[in-house]
Structures are given as structure tokens and as C-alpha cells.
Short mmCIF file of all heavy atoms in Angstrom, two decimals:
data_model
loop_
_atom_site.label_atom_id
_atom_site.label_comp_id
_atom_site.label_asym_id
_atom_site.label_seq_id
_atom_site.Cartn_x
_atom_site.Cartn_y
_atom_site.Cartn_z
N MET A 1264 0.86 -1.18 0.03
CA MET A 1264 -0.01 -0.02 0.04
C MET A 1264 0.88 1.25 -0.01
O MET A 1264 1.93 1.28 0.76
CB MET A 1264 -0.89 -0.07 1.21
CG MET A 1264 -2.14 0.70 1.23
SD MET A 1264 -3.41 0.29 0.19
CE MET A 1264 -4.78 0.16 1.29
N GLY A 1265 0.51 2.28 -0.79
CA GLY A 1265 1.25 3.51 -0.81
C GLY A 1265 2.36 3.46 -1.81
O GLY A 1265 2.82 2.49 -2.25
N GLY A 1266 2.76 4.69 -2.21
CA GLY A 1266 3.82 4.80 -3.18
C GLY A 1266 3.32 4.53 -4.59
O GLY A 1266 2.16 4.20 -4.84
N HIS A 1267 4.24 4.79 -5.54
CA HIS A 1267 3.94 4.52 -6.94
C HIS A 1267 4.49 3.22 -7.43
O HIS A 1267 5.63 2.95 -7.19
CB HIS A 1267 4.48 5.67 -7.82
CG HIS A 1267 3.92 6.98 -7.51
ND1 HIS A 1267 4.46 8.16 -7.97
CD2 HIS A 1267 2.86 7.38 -6.79
CE1 HIS A 1267 3.78 9.20 -7.52
NE2 HIS A 1267 2.77 8.73 -6.76
N LEU A 1268 3.69 2.45 -8.15
CA LEU A 1268 4.15 1.17 -8.74
C LEU A 1268 4.88 1.52 -9.99
O LEU A 1268 4.51 2.39 -10.80
CB LEU A 1268 3.02 0.26 -9.02
CG LEU A 1268 2.19 -0.21 -7.84
CD1 LEU A 1268 1.02 -1.15 -8.29
CD2 LEU A 1268 3.07 -1.01 -6.80
N ALA A 1269 5.97 0.81 -10.25
CA ALA A 1269 6.84 1.01 -11.38
C ALA A 1269 6.05 0.90 -12.71
O ALA A 1269 6.34 1.56 -13.66
CB ALA A 1269 8.02 0.05 -11.40
N GLU A 1270 5.11 0.04 -12.78
CA GLU A 1270 4.30 -0.12 -13.97
C GLU A 1270 3.50 1.05 -14.42
O GLU A 1270 3.04 1.18 -15.52
CB GLU A 1270 3.41 -1.32 -13.86
CG GLU A 1270 2.30 -1.22 -12.81
CD GLU A 1270 1.55 -2.48 -12.60
OE1 GLU A 1270 0.70 -2.85 -13.37
OE2 GLU A 1270 1.85 -3.23 -11.62
N TYR A 1271 3.31 2.05 -13.48
CA TYR A 1271 2.56 3.25 -13.79
C TYR A 1271 3.46 4.49 -13.85
O TYR A 1271 3.03 5.57 -13.75
CB TYR A 1271 1.44 3.48 -12.73
CG TYR A 1271 0.46 2.35 -12.68
CD1 TYR A 1271 0.35 1.50 -11.55
CD2 TYR A 1271 -0.42 2.13 -13.69
CE1 TYR A 1271 -0.55 0.49 -11.52
CE2 TYR A 1271 -1.39 1.09 -13.70
CZ TYR A 1271 -1.43 0.29 -12.54
OH TYR A 1271 -2.31 -0.77 -12.51
N ARG A 1272 4.77 4.24 -14.00
CA ARG A 1272 5.75 5.35 -14.05
C ARG A 1272 5.37 6.38 -15.04
O ARG A 1272 5.38 7.62 -14.78
CB ARG A 1272 7.09 4.80 -14.31
CG ARG A 1272 8.17 5.83 -14.41
CD ARG A 1272 9.47 5.23 -14.68
NE ARG A 1272 9.37 4.02 -15.58
CZ ARG A 1272 9.97 3.95 -16.77
NH1 ARG A 1272 10.74 4.84 -17.15
NH2 ARG A 1272 9.71 2.90 -17.53
N ASN A 1273 4.99 5.99 -16.29
CA ASN A 1273 4.73 6.97 -17.33
C ASN A 1273 3.45 7.81 -16.98
O ASN A 1273 3.46 9.01 -17.26
CB ASN A 1273 4.45 6.28 -18.66
CG ASN A 1273 5.72 5.66 -19.21
OD1 ASN A 1273 6.81 6.00 -18.80
ND2 ASN A 1273 5.59 4.67 -20.07
N GLU A 1274 2.45 7.16 -16.38
CA GLU A 1274 1.23 7.90 -16.02
C GLU A 1274 1.56 8.97 -14.95
O GLU A 1274 1.03 10.09 -15.01
CB GLU A 1274 0.16 6.94 -15.58
CG GLU A 1274 -0.40 6.13 -16.69
CD GLU A 1274 0.34 4.88 -17.02
OE1 GLU A 1274 1.46 4.66 -16.49
OE2 GLU A 1274 -0.17 4.07 -17.79
N HIS A 1275 2.33 8.56 -13.91
CA HIS A 1275 2.67 9.45 -12.84
C HIS A 1275 3.53 10.64 -13.41
O HIS A 1275 3.33 11.79 -13.01
CB HIS A 1275 3.38 8.77 -11.74
CG HIS A 1275 2.52 7.83 -10.90
ND1 HIS A 1275 1.40 8.27 -10.25
CD2 HIS A 1275 2.54 6.50 -10.85
CE1 HIS A 1275 0.80 7.25 -9.67
NE2 HIS A 1275 1.43 6.13 -10.01
N THR A 1276 4.42 10.34 -14.30
CA THR A 1276 5.32 11.36 -14.91
C THR A 1276 4.49 12.31 -15.69
O THR A 1276 4.66 13.57 -15.60
CB THR A 1276 6.42 10.71 -15.72
OG1 THR A 1276 7.23 9.81 -14.93
CG2 THR A 1276 7.32 11.72 -16.40
N PHE A 1277 3.51 11.83 -16.45
CA PHE A 1277 2.66 12.71 -17.30
C PHE A 1277 1.82 13.56 -16.34
O PHE A 1277 1.71 14.82 -16.59
CB PHE A 1277 1.77 11.87 -18.18
CG PHE A 1277 0.85 12.72 -19.00
CD1 PHE A 1277 1.41 13.52 -20.02
CD2 PHE A 1277 -0.52 12.67 -18.78
CE1 PHE A 1277 0.53 14.27 -20.81
CE2 PHE A 1277 -1.36 13.44 -19.63
CZ PHE A 1277 -0.80 14.23 -20.62
N ALA A 1278 1.24 13.03 -15.29
CA ALA A 1278 0.45 13.84 -14.35
C ALA A 1278 1.31 14.94 -13.76
O ALA A 1278 0.81 16.09 -13.63
CB ALA A 1278 -0.17 12.94 -13.23
N ALA A 1279 2.51 14.59 -13.37
CA ALA A 1279 3.41 15.65 -12.80
C ALA A 1279 3.74 16.76 -13.76
O ALA A 1279 3.83 17.91 -13.40
CB ALA A 1279 4.71 14.99 -12.28
N ALA A 1280 3.93 16.37 -15.05
CA ALA A 1280 4.23 17.34 -16.08
C ALA A 1280 3.02 18.31 -16.28
O ALA A 1280 3.23 19.55 -16.43
CB ALA A 1280 4.61 16.65 -17.38
N VAL A 1281 1.83 17.77 -16.35
CA VAL A 1281 0.66 18.60 -16.49
C VAL A 1281 0.48 19.51 -15.24
O VAL A 1281 0.17 20.67 -15.42
CB VAL A 1281 -0.62 17.74 -16.71
CG1 VAL A 1281 -1.89 18.59 -16.75
CG2 VAL A 1281 -0.46 16.93 -18.04
N GLN A 1282 0.72 18.97 -14.11
CA GLN A 1282 0.60 19.76 -12.86
C GLN A 1282 1.64 20.87 -12.91
O GLN A 1282 1.36 22.02 -12.51
CB GLN A 1282 0.74 18.95 -11.61
CG GLN A 1282 0.58 19.82 -10.38
CD GLN A 1282 0.53 19.04 -9.07
OE1 GLN A 1282 0.11 17.90 -9.10
NE2 GLN A 1282 0.81 19.72 -7.98
N ALA A 1283 2.86 20.62 -13.37
CA ALA A 1283 3.89 21.68 -13.44
C ALA A 1283 3.46 22.83 -14.37
O ALA A 1283 3.84 23.92 -14.08
CB ALA A 1283 5.21 21.06 -13.90
N ARG A 1284 2.72 22.49 -15.35
CA ARG A 1284 2.17 23.53 -16.31
C ARG A 1284 0.99 24.28 -15.67
O ARG A 1284 0.60 25.34 -16.15
CB ARG A 1284 1.72 22.95 -17.60
CG ARG A 1284 2.81 22.25 -18.42
CD ARG A 1284 2.36 21.85 -19.77
NE ARG A 1284 1.10 21.26 -19.94
CZ ARG A 1284 0.84 20.08 -20.43
NH1 ARG A 1284 1.88 19.24 -20.76
NH2 ARG A 1284 -0.39 19.61 -20.60
N ASN A 1285 0.43 23.73 -14.62
CA ASN A 1285 -0.84 24.25 -14.04
C ASN A 1285 -0.59 24.27 -12.52
O ASN A 1285 -1.29 23.46 -11.77
CB ASN A 1285 -2.03 23.46 -14.41
CG ASN A 1285 -2.26 23.45 -15.93
OD1 ASN A 1285 -2.86 24.37 -16.44
ND2 ASN A 1285 -1.72 22.45 -16.63
N PRO A 1286 0.19 25.12 -11.98
CA PRO A 1286 0.50 25.09 -10.49
C PRO A 1286 -0.64 25.35 -9.58
O PRO A 1286 -0.59 25.14 -8.40
CB PRO A 1286 1.58 26.11 -10.39
CG PRO A 1286 1.53 27.05 -11.53
CD PRO A 1286 0.96 26.18 -12.67
N HIS A 1287 -1.76 25.90 -10.13
CA HIS A 1287 -2.94 26.24 -9.35
C HIS A 1287 -3.80 25.00 -9.13
O HIS A 1287 -4.77 25.02 -8.40
CB HIS A 1287 -3.75 27.35 -9.97
CG HIS A 1287 -4.21 26.98 -11.36
ND1 HIS A 1287 -3.30 26.90 -12.47
CD2 HIS A 1287 -5.43 26.68 -11.84
CE1 HIS A 1287 -4.01 26.62 -13.55
NE2 HIS A 1287 -5.26 26.43 -13.24
N LEU A 1288 -3.42 23.83 -9.77
CA LEU A 1288 -4.11 22.59 -9.60
C LEU A 1288 -3.27 21.49 -8.91
O LEU A 1288 -2.04 21.64 -8.97
CB LEU A 1288 -4.56 22.06 -11.02
CG LEU A 1288 -5.37 23.05 -11.88
CD1 LEU A 1288 -5.49 22.40 -13.29
CD2 LEU A 1288 -6.70 23.23 -11.25
N ILE A 1289 -4.00 20.50 -8.49
CA ILE A 1289 -3.26 19.30 -7.99
C ILE A 1289 -3.69 18.17 -8.87
O ILE A 1289 -4.91 17.92 -9.02
CB ILE A 1289 -3.65 18.97 -6.52
CG1 ILE A 1289 -3.14 20.14 -5.63
CG2 ILE A 1289 -2.92 17.70 -6.08
CD1 ILE A 1289 -3.53 20.05 -4.17
N ILE A 1290 -2.78 17.48 -9.54
CA ILE A 1290 -3.11 16.47 -10.58
C ILE A 1290 -2.36 15.23 -10.23
O ILE A 1290 -1.13 15.28 -9.95
CB ILE A 1290 -2.78 16.97 -12.01
CG1 ILE A 1290 -3.55 18.25 -12.30
CG2 ILE A 1290 -3.07 15.90 -13.00
CD1 ILE A 1290 -3.18 18.92 -13.60
N TRP A 1291 -3.01 14.11 -10.26
CA TRP A 1291 -2.37 12.79 -10.01
C TRP A 1291 -3.02 11.70 -10.78
O TRP A 1291 -4.15 11.87 -11.30
CB TRP A 1291 -2.31 12.49 -8.53
CG TRP A 1291 -3.66 12.12 -7.91
CD1 TRP A 1291 -4.15 10.84 -7.76
CD2 TRP A 1291 -4.65 13.00 -7.39
NE1 TRP A 1291 -5.42 10.92 -7.13
CE2 TRP A 1291 -5.75 12.20 -6.89
CE3 TRP A 1291 -4.75 14.35 -7.28
CZ2 TRP A 1291 -6.87 12.77 -6.35
CZ3 TRP A 1291 -5.86 14.92 -6.67
CH2 TRP A 1291 -6.95 14.15 -6.26
N TYR A 1292 -2.30 10.57 -10.88
CA TYR A 1292 -2.85 9.43 -11.54
C TYR A 1292 -3.26 8.42 -10.45
O TYR A 1292 -2.45 8.04 -9.55
CB TYR A 1292 -1.85 8.79 -12.46
CG TYR A 1292 -2.32 7.51 -13.11
CD1 TYR A 1292 -3.17 7.53 -14.15
CD2 TYR A 1292 -1.86 6.24 -12.64
CE1 TYR A 1292 -3.68 6.44 -14.75
CE2 TYR A 1292 -2.38 5.12 -13.29
CZ TYR A 1292 -3.26 5.17 -14.28
OH TYR A 1292 -3.76 4.05 -14.90
N GLY A 1293 -4.52 7.91 -10.52
CA GLY A 1293 -5.00 6.95 -9.57
C GLY A 1293 -4.81 5.51 -10.03
O GLY A 1293 -5.37 5.13 -11.02
N GLU A 1294 -3.86 4.84 -9.48
CA GLU A 1294 -3.53 3.48 -9.87
C GLU A 1294 -4.76 2.53 -9.76
O GLU A 1294 -4.89 1.69 -10.66
CB GLU A 1294 -2.33 2.93 -9.10
CG GLU A 1294 -1.04 3.67 -9.43
CD GLU A 1294 0.14 3.21 -8.59
OE1 GLU A 1294 0.00 2.29 -7.76
OE2 GLU A 1294 1.22 3.81 -8.84
N ASN A 1295 -5.54 2.69 -8.77
CA ASN A 1295 -6.73 1.75 -8.60
C ASN A 1295 -7.82 2.07 -9.54
O ASN A 1295 -8.54 1.17 -10.00
CB ASN A 1295 -7.20 1.87 -7.16
CG ASN A 1295 -6.24 1.19 -6.16
OD1 ASN A 1295 -5.61 0.27 -6.48
ND2 ASN A 1295 -6.25 1.71 -4.95
N THR A 1296 -8.02 3.37 -9.90
CA THR A 1296 -9.08 3.68 -10.82
C THR A 1296 -8.68 3.69 -12.30
O THR A 1296 -9.52 3.59 -13.16
CB THR A 1296 -9.64 5.20 -10.48
OG1 THR A 1296 -8.56 6.03 -10.70
CG2 THR A 1296 -10.15 5.25 -9.09
N GLY A 1297 -7.32 3.85 -12.51
CA GLY A 1297 -6.86 3.98 -13.84
C GLY A 1297 -7.22 5.31 -14.52
O GLY A 1297 -7.17 5.44 -15.72
N SER A 1298 -7.52 6.33 -13.69
CA SER A 1298 -7.91 7.68 -14.18
C SER A 1298 -7.01 8.68 -13.64
O SER A 1298 -6.27 8.42 -12.65
CB SER A 1298 -9.30 7.97 -13.66
OG SER A 1298 -10.28 7.10 -14.17
N TYR A 1299 -6.94 9.84 -14.25
CA TYR A 1299 -6.25 10.96 -13.76
C TYR A 1299 -7.29 11.76 -12.89
O TYR A 1299 -8.46 11.75 -13.15
CB TYR A 1299 -5.74 11.83 -14.90
CG TYR A 1299 -4.61 11.15 -15.67
CD1 TYR A 1299 -4.89 10.34 -16.74
CD2 TYR A 1299 -3.29 11.32 -15.30
CE1 TYR A 1299 -3.89 9.66 -17.40
CE2 TYR A 1299 -2.27 10.66 -15.91
CZ TYR A 1299 -2.55 9.87 -17.00
OH TYR A 1299 -1.60 9.23 -17.70
N TRP A 1300 -6.74 12.47 -11.88
CA TRP A 1300 -7.65 13.25 -11.00
C TRP A 1300 -7.12 14.67 -10.96
O TRP A 1300 -5.91 14.88 -10.91
CB TRP A 1300 -7.64 12.61 -9.62
CG TRP A 1300 -8.34 11.28 -9.60
CD1 TRP A 1300 -7.79 10.05 -9.90
CD2 TRP A 1300 -9.77 11.08 -9.45
NE1 TRP A 1300 -8.75 9.05 -9.88
CE2 TRP A 1300 -9.94 9.65 -9.54
CE3 TRP A 1300 -10.79 11.85 -9.13
CZ2 TRP A 1300 -11.22 9.13 -9.43
CZ3 TRP A 1300 -12.04 11.30 -8.97
CH2 TRP A 1300 -12.23 9.94 -9.11
N VAL A 1301 -8.03 15.61 -10.94
CA VAL A 1301 -7.75 16.99 -10.88
C VAL A 1301 -8.44 17.64 -9.72
O VAL A 1301 -9.69 17.63 -9.67
CB VAL A 1301 -8.03 17.73 -12.18
CG1 VAL A 1301 -7.71 19.22 -12.06
CG2 VAL A 1301 -7.35 17.06 -13.40
N ALA A 1302 -7.67 18.19 -8.76
CA ALA A 1302 -8.29 18.90 -7.69
C ALA A 1302 -8.08 20.45 -7.94
O ALA A 1302 -6.94 20.87 -8.15
CB ALA A 1302 -7.68 18.48 -6.37
N SER A 1303 -9.18 21.18 -7.88
CA SER A 1303 -9.08 22.64 -8.03
C SER A 1303 -9.84 23.33 -6.85
O SER A 1303 -10.44 22.68 -6.04
CB SER A 1303 -9.58 23.01 -9.39
OG SER A 1303 -10.97 22.87 -9.37
N SER A 1304 -9.88 24.60 -6.94
CA SER A 1304 -10.66 25.38 -5.93
C SER A 1304 -12.16 25.12 -6.06
O SER A 1304 -12.92 25.42 -5.12
CB SER A 1304 -10.35 26.88 -6.04
OG SER A 1304 -10.74 27.34 -7.34
N THR A 1305 -12.61 24.59 -7.22
CA THR A 1305 -13.97 24.32 -7.38
C THR A 1305 -14.39 22.87 -7.13
O THR A 1305 -15.57 22.52 -7.23
CB THR A 1305 -14.44 24.71 -8.85
OG1 THR A 1305 -13.69 23.94 -9.78
CG2 THR A 1305 -14.20 26.25 -9.09
N GLY A 1306 -13.41 21.96 -6.91
CA GLY A 1306 -13.82 20.62 -6.63
C GLY A 1306 -12.80 19.66 -7.25
O GLY A 1306 -11.71 19.94 -7.60
N LEU A 1307 -13.28 18.38 -7.24
CA LEU A 1307 -12.44 17.27 -7.74
C LEU A 1307 -13.08 16.67 -8.97
O LEU A 1307 -14.31 16.52 -9.09
CB LEU A 1307 -12.43 16.19 -6.64
CG LEU A 1307 -11.61 14.91 -6.89
CD1 LEU A 1307 -10.15 15.21 -7.01
CD2 LEU A 1307 -11.87 13.90 -5.78
N ALA A 1308 -12.26 16.43 -10.05
CA ALA A 1308 -12.77 15.93 -11.26
C ALA A 1308 -11.91 14.66 -11.69
O ALA A 1308 -10.71 14.63 -11.53
CB ALA A 1308 -12.75 16.90 -12.36
N GLU A 1309 -12.59 13.64 -12.16
CA GLU A 1309 -11.99 12.43 -12.71
C GLU A 1309 -11.85 12.65 -14.22
O GLU A 1309 -12.79 12.97 -14.95
CB GLU A 1309 -12.75 11.20 -12.38
CG GLU A 1309 -12.08 9.92 -12.81
CD GLU A 1309 -12.89 8.72 -12.43
OE1 GLU A 1309 -14.03 8.79 -11.93
OE2 GLU A 1309 -12.34 7.58 -12.57
N VAL A 1310 -10.60 12.32 -14.74
CA VAL A 1310 -10.33 12.46 -16.16
C VAL A 1310 -9.95 11.05 -16.65
O VAL A 1310 -9.03 10.47 -16.13
CB VAL A 1310 -9.28 13.47 -16.49
CG1 VAL A 1310 -8.93 13.59 -17.92
CG2 VAL A 1310 -9.58 14.87 -15.90
N PRO A 1311 -10.63 10.55 -17.63
CA PRO A 1311 -10.52 9.09 -17.92
C PRO A 1311 -9.17 8.68 -18.57
O PRO A 1311 -8.77 7.48 -18.42
CB PRO A 1311 -11.66 8.79 -18.91
CG PRO A 1311 -11.98 10.16 -19.55
CD PRO A 1311 -11.68 11.16 -18.45
N ASP A 1312 -8.45 9.60 -19.25
CA ASP A 1312 -7.23 9.15 -19.94
C ASP A 1312 -6.37 10.30 -20.21
O ASP A 1312 -6.71 11.49 -20.01
CB ASP A 1312 -7.63 8.40 -21.24
CG ASP A 1312 -8.47 9.21 -22.20
OD1 ASP A 1312 -8.20 10.42 -22.38
OD2 ASP A 1312 -9.45 8.68 -22.66
N ALA A 1313 -5.12 10.00 -20.58
CA ALA A 1313 -4.08 11.02 -20.79
C ALA A 1313 -4.44 11.98 -21.95
O ALA A 1313 -4.19 13.22 -21.88
CB ALA A 1313 -2.77 10.34 -21.08
N GLU A 1314 -5.07 11.44 -22.99
CA GLU A 1314 -5.42 12.32 -24.10
C GLU A 1314 -6.43 13.36 -23.70
O GLU A 1314 -6.34 14.56 -24.09
CB GLU A 1314 -6.03 11.49 -25.28
CG GLU A 1314 -5.03 10.57 -25.95
CD GLU A 1314 -4.75 9.27 -25.14
OE1 GLU A 1314 -5.54 8.89 -24.25
OE2 GLU A 1314 -3.67 8.67 -25.38
N THR A 1315 -7.39 13.04 -22.89
CA THR A 1315 -8.37 14.02 -22.44
C THR A 1315 -7.71 14.96 -21.51
O THR A 1315 -8.00 16.18 -21.60
CB THR A 1315 -9.57 13.24 -21.70
OG1 THR A 1315 -10.12 12.24 -22.61
CG2 THR A 1315 -10.64 14.20 -21.26
N LEU A 1316 -6.87 14.53 -20.60
CA LEU A 1316 -6.18 15.43 -19.71
C LEU A 1316 -5.31 16.46 -20.49
O LEU A 1316 -5.34 17.66 -20.22
CB LEU A 1316 -5.28 14.68 -18.72
CG LEU A 1316 -4.62 15.47 -17.64
CD1 LEU A 1316 -5.64 16.10 -16.71
CD2 LEU A 1316 -3.63 14.58 -16.86
N ASP A 1317 -4.65 15.99 -21.48
CA ASP A 1317 -3.81 16.86 -22.31
C ASP A 1317 -4.66 17.86 -23.10
O ASP A 1317 -4.28 19.03 -23.31
CB ASP A 1317 -2.97 16.00 -23.26
CG ASP A 1317 -1.84 16.82 -23.89
OD1 ASP A 1317 -1.18 17.64 -23.14
OD2 ASP A 1317 -1.60 16.70 -25.10
N ARG A 1318 -5.87 17.41 -23.53
CA ARG A 1318 -6.77 18.31 -24.26
C ARG A 1318 -7.30 19.42 -23.37
O ARG A 1318 -7.47 20.57 -23.74
CB ARG A 1318 -7.92 17.49 -24.87
CG ARG A 1318 -8.82 18.29 -25.80
CD ARG A 1318 -9.78 17.46 -26.61
NE ARG A 1318 -10.28 16.26 -25.92
CZ ARG A 1318 -11.36 16.27 -25.13
NH1 ARG A 1318 -12.01 17.35 -24.84
NH2 ARG A 1318 -11.77 15.12 -24.49
N LEU A 1319 -7.56 19.02 -22.09
CA LEU A 1319 -8.14 19.99 -21.10
C LEU A 1319 -7.08 21.00 -20.72
O LEU A 1319 -7.35 22.17 -20.37
CB LEU A 1319 -8.64 19.26 -19.93
CG LEU A 1319 -9.95 18.44 -20.13
CD1 LEU A 1319 -10.23 17.62 -18.88
CD2 LEU A 1319 -11.11 19.31 -20.49
N PHE A 1320 -5.80 20.54 -20.63
CA PHE A 1320 -4.76 21.42 -20.13
C PHE A 1320 -3.55 21.35 -21.07
O PHE A 1320 -2.50 20.76 -20.80
CB PHE A 1320 -4.26 20.99 -18.74
CG PHE A 1320 -5.40 20.90 -17.79
CD1 PHE A 1320 -6.00 19.79 -17.37
CD2 PHE A 1320 -5.90 22.16 -17.21
CE1 PHE A 1320 -7.05 19.75 -16.40
CE2 PHE A 1320 -6.92 22.13 -16.31
CZ PHE A 1320 -7.54 20.93 -15.92
N PRO A 1321 -3.70 21.95 -22.30
CA PRO A 1321 -2.66 21.83 -23.30
C PRO A 1321 -1.42 22.61 -22.92
O PRO A 1321 -1.43 23.52 -22.12
CB PRO A 1321 -3.32 22.44 -24.55
CG PRO A 1321 -4.31 23.39 -23.96
CD PRO A 1321 -4.86 22.74 -22.65
N VAL A 1322 -0.32 22.25 -23.55
CA VAL A 1322 0.98 23.02 -23.42
C VAL A 1322 0.71 24.35 -23.98
O VAL A 1322 0.27 24.56 -25.14
CB VAL A 1322 2.12 22.23 -24.11
CG1 VAL A 1322 3.37 23.10 -24.03
CG2 VAL A 1322 2.28 20.92 -23.57
N LEU A 1323 1.13 25.39 -23.26
CA LEU A 1323 1.05 26.76 -23.76
C LEU A 1323 2.36 27.09 -24.46
O LEU A 1323 3.43 26.96 -23.88
CB LEU A 1323 0.85 27.70 -22.64
CG LEU A 1323 -0.47 27.53 -21.82
CD1 LEU A 1323 -0.53 28.54 -20.69
CD2 LEU A 1323 -1.69 27.74 -22.71
N LEU A 1324 2.28 27.43 -25.74
CA LEU A 1324 3.47 27.72 -26.52
C LEU A 1324 3.77 29.24 -26.37
O LEU A 1324 2.94 30.09 -26.47
CB LEU A 1324 3.23 27.35 -27.98
CG LEU A 1324 2.87 25.92 -28.19
CD1 LEU A 1324 2.55 25.73 -29.79
CD2 LEU A 1324 4.08 25.03 -27.88
N GLU A 1325 5.08 29.47 -26.14
CA GLU A 1325 5.50 30.84 -26.05
C GLU A 1325 5.62 31.44 -27.48
O GLU A 1325 6.16 30.81 -28.34
CB GLU A 1325 6.90 30.94 -25.44
CG GLU A 1325 6.87 30.90 -23.92
CD GLU A 1325 8.17 31.17 -23.30
OE1 GLU A 1325 8.84 32.18 -23.73
OE2 GLU A 1325 8.56 30.49 -22.39
N LEU A 1326 5.14 32.62 -27.65
CA LEU A 1326 5.27 33.30 -28.94
C LEU A 1326 6.40 34.29 -28.86
O LEU A 1326 6.43 35.11 -27.96
CB LEU A 1326 3.95 34.00 -29.31
CG LEU A 1326 2.72 33.08 -29.46
CD1 LEU A 1326 1.51 33.95 -29.65
CD2 LEU A 1326 2.92 32.10 -30.57
N TRP A 1327 7.31 34.26 -29.72
CA TRP A 1327 8.49 35.15 -29.82
C TRP A 1327 8.16 36.40 -30.46
O TRP A 1327 7.65 36.57 -31.40
CB TRP A 1327 9.68 34.48 -30.34
CG TRP A 1327 10.09 33.31 -29.59
CD1 TRP A 1327 9.66 32.02 -29.70
CD2 TRP A 1327 11.01 33.27 -28.45
NE1 TRP A 1327 10.19 31.21 -28.71
CE2 TRP A 1327 11.11 31.95 -27.98
CE3 TRP A 1327 11.82 34.24 -27.86
CZ2 TRP A 1327 11.92 31.59 -26.94
CZ3 TRP A 1327 12.65 33.88 -26.83
CH2 TRP A 1327 12.66 32.61 -26.34
#
């Protein structure tokens, strides 16, 4: 119990990367549910997969 299983390393890394882009949120991967979770000031939301999470919180490109 507790900690991250090695088999979900990519999912945890992706969740951490999305959270780094969105410091006002708390984002994690739920190993038991197989979903990503987003906690914000308005509540908790379950996101079913990485593609949806990336679509909801895309990388912001800097314009030069």
C-alpha cells in the first residue's frame, strides 16, 4: 500500500508534467481507478485518460 508502482511510471510522470504547467491545480494518476484526477478550488474531477487530460490542459506555446 502507498507509493507509486513502477508499472505506472509513465502515467505519474505525465500527471506531474501537467501539474507543473498548471501550478494552481493538484493532478495525479489513480492506480486503482486507472484515471487521472484534478483537484481545483471548485472541486475534484476524474479524467478518464491522458489524451483527455492533455486536451483539457494543453501546453502553452511561447510566442516570440
